[in-house]
């Protein structure tokens, strides 16, 4: 929800975004609520998992939130730049989509009882999956079918987003 406000995105999966429907203040409020609910959900794992596992899951979640914030910062900052090296694009993507998917796959492994080495491998898998997903999403963001992708194919170009095809 916050991402849609920051990116001025008016559609998400073919539907008006929260800020479009109810305004920016309510979107920020809803985004904050969802963040709090997600933290409570991780803490709620205490009903099924040991305190050690819950603490590891919460730490992973919070570290991911920091990475997501850093990635979003870069995403917003880069629109001000005329030229962006490819490695900077990958750093931004690493802090956004890749960080989120890496968290999901690693947390699944953690909650499944995997050892730390296996959890790291699941983290790497999610990271690489996120990088590939974002690259494809960037391509579809310009050349995709609007009805299939559920968002504008010109908004990233209009807002000067540094997507893979642009770079």
């Amino acid at each position: 929800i916050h991402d849609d406000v920051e990116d001025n995105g008016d559609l998400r999966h073919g539907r008006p975004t929260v800020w479009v429907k109810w305004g920016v203040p309510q979107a920020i409020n809803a985004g904050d609520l969802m963040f709090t609910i997600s933290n409570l959900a991780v803490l709620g794992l205490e009903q099924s998992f040991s305190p050690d596992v819950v603490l590891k899951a919460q730490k992973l979640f919070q570290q991911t939130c920091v990475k997501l914030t850093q990635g979003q910062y870069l995403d917003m900052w880069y629109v001000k730049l005329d030229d962006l090296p490819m490695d900077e694009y990958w750093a931004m993507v690493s802090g956004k989509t890749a960080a989120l998917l890496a968290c999901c796959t690693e947390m699944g492994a953690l909650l499944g009882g995997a050892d730390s080495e296996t959890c790291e491998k699941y983290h790497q898998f999610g990271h690489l999956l996120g990088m590939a997903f974002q690259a494809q999403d960037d391509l579809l963001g310009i050349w995709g079918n609007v009805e299939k992708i559920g968002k504008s194919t010109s908004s990233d170009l209009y807002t000067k987003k540094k997507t893979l095809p642009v770079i």
Side-chain angles (χ1 to χ4, degrees):
I1 294 172
H2 291 146
D3 181 67
D4 290 334
V5 171
E6 291 167 341
D7 292 347
N8 206 30
D10 57 355
L11 287 177
R12 169 92 38 186
H13 303 291
R15 298 177 5 202
T17 55
V18 173
W19 76 268
V20 168
K21 286 186 86 163
W22 293 294
V24 171
Q26 287 295 14
I28 292 170
N29 195 39
D32 290 349
L33 175 63
M34 289 187 70
F35 179 69
T36 302
I37 289 170
S38 63
N39 275 285
L40 290 172
V42 174
L43 292 172
L45 294 170
E46 69 183 347
Q47 295 177 13
S48 303
F49 296 93
S50 71
D52 182 54
V53 169
V54 174
L55 185 60
K56 286 178 183 177
Q58 185 64 16
K59 182 178 180 180
L60 173 61
F61 182 72
Q62 295 305 320
Q63 289 170 330
T64 301
C65 290
V66 169
K67 289 178 187 174
L68 292 170
T69 302
Q70 292 168 332
Q72 183 66 7
Y73 165 81
L74 293 175
D75 188 36
M76 292 185 298
W77 176 254
Y78 289 165
V79 299
K80 299 175 183 181
L81 304 179
D82 292 329
D83 190 33
L84 187 72
M86 188 61 74
D87 62 326
E88 293 296 323
Y89 165 81
W90 291 118
M92 173 187 65
V93 171
S94 179
K96 292 181 54 127
T97 311
L100 187 59
L101 290 178
C103 177
C104 293
T105 53
E106 182 179 352
M107 193 172 299
L110 172 67
L111 299 177
D115 60 39
S116 60
E117 183 180 333
T118 303
C119 286
E120 177 57 30
K121 289 179 181 178
Y122 273 89
H123 178 92
Q124 297 253 337
F125 167 74
H127 176 83
L128 294 172
L129 182 63
M131 299 288 269
F133 177 91
Q134 188 60 56
Q136 181 182 24
D137 190 62
D138 284 356
L139 294 170
L140 293 173
I142 294 177
W143 295 293
N145 181 319
V146 175
E147 291 184 20
K148 286 185 179 181
I149 64 173
K151 64 180 183 177
S152 168
T153 54
S154 61
S155 63
D156 284 348
L157 290 171
Y158 179 74
T159 58
K160 298 184 179 181
K161 288 285 182 182
K162 298 304 184 274
T163 62
L164 186 59
V166 170
I167 296 169

